[in-house]
PDB file of all heavy atoms in Angstrom:
ATOM      1  N   ASN L 215      16.939 -11.465 -42.335  1.00  0.00           N
ATOM      2  CA  ASN L 215      18.300 -11.407 -42.863  1.00  0.00           C
ATOM      3  C   ASN L 215      19.284 -11.267 -41.703  1.00  0.00           C
ATOM      4  O   ASN L 215      19.484 -10.173 -41.181  1.00  0.00           O
ATOM      5  CB  ASN L 215      18.456 -10.240 -43.837  1.00  0.00           C
ATOM      6  CG  ASN L 215      19.764 -10.304 -44.608  1.00  0.00           C
ATOM      7  OD1 ASN L 215      20.734 -10.919 -44.169  1.00  0.00           O
ATOM      8  ND2 ASN L 215      19.804  -9.674 -45.766  1.00  0.00           N
ATOM      9  N   ARG L 216      19.892 -12.361 -41.308  1.00  0.00           N
ATOM     10  CA  ARG L 216      20.803 -12.346 -40.165  1.00  0.00           C
ATOM     11  C   ARG L 216      22.156 -11.738 -40.488  1.00  0.00           C
ATOM     12  O   ARG L 216      22.980 -11.542 -39.594  1.00  0.00           O
ATOM     13  CB  ARG L 216      20.995 -13.765 -39.619  1.00  0.00           C
ATOM     14  CG  ARG L 216      19.714 -14.377 -39.123  1.00  0.00           C
ATOM     15  CD  ARG L 216      19.897 -15.769 -38.544  1.00  0.00           C
ATOM     16  NE  ARG L 216      18.595 -16.385 -38.330  1.00  0.00           N
ATOM     17  CZ  ARG L 216      17.818 -16.145 -37.298  1.00  0.00           C
ATOM     18  NH1 ARG L 216      18.227 -15.307 -36.366  1.00  0.00           N
ATOM     19  NH2 ARG L 216      16.639 -16.720 -37.178  1.00  0.00           N
ATOM     20  N   PHE L 217      22.427 -11.468 -41.773  1.00  0.00           N
ATOM     21  CA  PHE L 217      23.705 -10.893 -42.160  1.00  0.00           C
ATOM     22  C   PHE L 217      23.654  -9.370 -42.229  1.00  0.00           C
ATOM     23  O   PHE L 217      24.690  -8.726 -42.336  1.00  0.00           O
ATOM     24  CB  PHE L 217      24.151 -11.462 -43.519  1.00  0.00           C
ATOM     25  CG  PHE L 217      24.354 -12.939 -43.494  1.00  0.00           C
ATOM     26  CD1 PHE L 217      23.382 -13.799 -43.990  1.00  0.00           C
ATOM     27  CD2 PHE L 217      25.497 -13.485 -42.948  1.00  0.00           C
ATOM     28  CE1 PHE L 217      23.569 -15.176 -43.956  1.00  0.00           C
ATOM     29  CE2 PHE L 217      25.693 -14.863 -42.912  1.00  0.00           C
ATOM     30  CZ  PHE L 217      24.723 -15.701 -43.423  1.00  0.00           C
ATOM     31  N   ASN L 218      22.463  -8.811 -42.186  1.00  0.00           N
ATOM     32  CA  ASN L 218      22.302  -7.356 -42.220  1.00  0.00           C
ATOM     33  C   ASN L 218      22.048  -6.894 -40.792  1.00  0.00           C
ATOM     34  O   ASN L 218      20.988  -7.147 -40.219  1.00  0.00           O
ATOM     35  CB  ASN L 218      21.125  -6.988 -43.127  1.00  0.00           C
ATOM     36  CG  ASN L 218      20.997  -5.473 -43.298  1.00  0.00           C
ATOM     37  OD1 ASN L 218      21.436  -4.694 -42.462  1.00  0.00           O
ATOM     38  ND2 ASN L 218      20.380  -5.072 -44.388  1.00  0.00           N
ATOM     39  N   MET L 219      23.007  -6.191 -40.202  1.00  0.00           N
ATOM     40  CA  MET L 219      22.901  -5.817 -38.801  1.00  0.00           C
ATOM     41  C   MET L 219      21.732  -4.874 -38.545  1.00  0.00           C
ATOM     42  O   MET L 219      21.123  -4.903 -37.471  1.00  0.00           O
ATOM     43  CB  MET L 219      24.203  -5.174 -38.339  1.00  0.00           C
ATOM     44  CG  MET L 219      25.337  -6.168 -38.162  1.00  0.00           C
ATOM     45  SD  MET L 219      24.950  -7.478 -36.963  1.00  0.00           S
ATOM     46  CE  MET L 219      24.830  -6.528 -35.452  1.00  0.00           C
ATOM     47  N   THR L 220      21.395  -4.042 -39.522  1.00  0.00           N
ATOM     48  CA  THR L 220      20.244  -3.156 -39.348  1.00  0.00           C
ATOM     49  C   THR L 220      18.959  -3.966 -39.280  1.00  0.00           C
ATOM     50  O   THR L 220      18.092  -3.721 -38.432  1.00  0.00           O
ATOM     51  CB  THR L 220      20.171  -2.140 -40.499  1.00  0.00           C
ATOM     52  OG1 THR L 220      21.341  -1.311 -40.448  1.00  0.00           O
ATOM     53  CG2 THR L 220      18.945  -1.257 -40.365  1.00  0.00           C
ATOM     54  N   THR L 221      18.826  -4.946 -40.161  1.00  0.00           N
ATOM     55  CA  THR L 221      17.654  -5.822 -40.132  1.00  0.00           C
ATOM     56  C   THR L 221      17.588  -6.584 -38.816  1.00  0.00           C
ATOM     57  O   THR L 221      16.514  -6.701 -38.202  1.00  0.00           O
ATOM     58  CB  THR L 221      17.687  -6.809 -41.310  1.00  0.00           C
ATOM     59  OG1 THR L 221      17.722  -6.073 -42.536  1.00  0.00           O
ATOM     60  CG2 THR L 221      16.479  -7.719 -41.303  1.00  0.00           C
ATOM     61  N   VAL L 222      18.711  -7.102 -38.368  1.00  0.00           N
ATOM     62  CA  VAL L 222      18.753  -7.829 -37.097  1.00  0.00           C
ATOM     63  C   VAL L 222      18.288  -6.930 -35.959  1.00  0.00           C
ATOM     64  O   VAL L 222      17.470  -7.318 -35.115  1.00  0.00           O
ATOM     65  CB  VAL L 222      20.175  -8.350 -36.819  1.00  0.00           C
ATOM     66  CG1 VAL L 222      20.283  -8.900 -35.395  1.00  0.00           C
ATOM     67  CG2 VAL L 222      20.549  -9.435 -37.817  1.00  0.00           C
ATOM     68  N   CYS L 223      18.787  -5.711 -35.941  1.00  0.00           N
ATOM     69  CA  CYS L 223      18.425  -4.766 -34.881  1.00  0.00           C
ATOM     70  C   CYS L 223      16.941  -4.424 -34.916  1.00  0.00           C
ATOM     71  O   CYS L 223      16.267  -4.404 -33.877  1.00  0.00           O
ATOM     72  CB  CYS L 223      19.268  -3.496 -35.020  1.00  0.00           C
ATOM     73  SG  CYS L 223      18.910  -2.228 -33.787  1.00  0.00           S
ATOM     74  N   GLN L 224      16.422  -4.185 -36.093  1.00  0.00           N
ATOM     75  CA  GLN L 224      15.032  -3.747 -36.206  1.00  0.00           C
ATOM     76  C   GLN L 224      14.035  -4.891 -36.018  1.00  0.00           C
ATOM     77  O   GLN L 224      12.883  -4.648 -35.675  1.00  0.00           O
ATOM     78  CB  GLN L 224      14.819  -3.066 -37.563  1.00  0.00           C
ATOM     79  CG  GLN L 224      15.555  -1.736 -37.672  1.00  0.00           C
ATOM     80  CD  GLN L 224      15.388  -1.069 -39.008  1.00  0.00           C
ATOM     81  OE1 GLN L 224      15.113  -1.721 -40.019  1.00  0.00           O
ATOM     82  NE2 GLN L 224      15.562   0.242 -39.055  1.00  0.00           N
ATOM     83  N   GLU L 225      14.481  -6.118 -36.222  1.00  0.00           N
ATOM     84  CA  GLU L 225      13.555  -7.247 -36.085  1.00  0.00           C
ATOM     85  C   GLU L 225      13.707  -8.001 -34.770  1.00  0.00           C
ATOM     86  O   GLU L 225      12.770  -8.673 -34.340  1.00  0.00           O
ATOM     87  CB  GLU L 225      13.726  -8.202 -37.274  1.00  0.00           C
ATOM     88  CG  GLU L 225      13.303  -7.577 -38.596  1.00  0.00           C
ATOM     89  CD  GLU L 225      13.341  -8.555 -39.754  1.00  0.00           C
ATOM     90  OE1 GLU L 225      13.624  -9.756 -39.519  1.00  0.00           O
ATOM     91  OE2 GLU L 225      13.098  -8.129 -40.894  1.00  0.00           O
ATOM     92  N   THR L 226      14.867  -7.906 -34.140  1.00  0.00           N
ATOM     93  CA  THR L 226      15.045  -8.576 -32.848  1.00  0.00           C
ATOM     94  C   THR L 226      15.147  -7.582 -31.700  1.00  0.00           C
ATOM     95  O   THR L 226      15.198  -7.997 -30.544  1.00  0.00           O
ATOM     96  CB  THR L 226      16.293  -9.477 -32.845  1.00  0.00           C
ATOM     97  OG1 THR L 226      17.465  -8.672 -32.986  1.00  0.00           O
ATOM     98  CG2 THR L 226      16.234 -10.498 -33.969  1.00  0.00           C
TER      99      THR L 226
END
Side-chain angles (χ1 to χ4, degrees):
N215 191 337
R216 298 182 191 280
F217 298 100
N218 185 336
M219 286 301 295
T220 297
T221 301
V222 170
C223 179
Q224 292 179 336
E225 294 186 4
T226 65

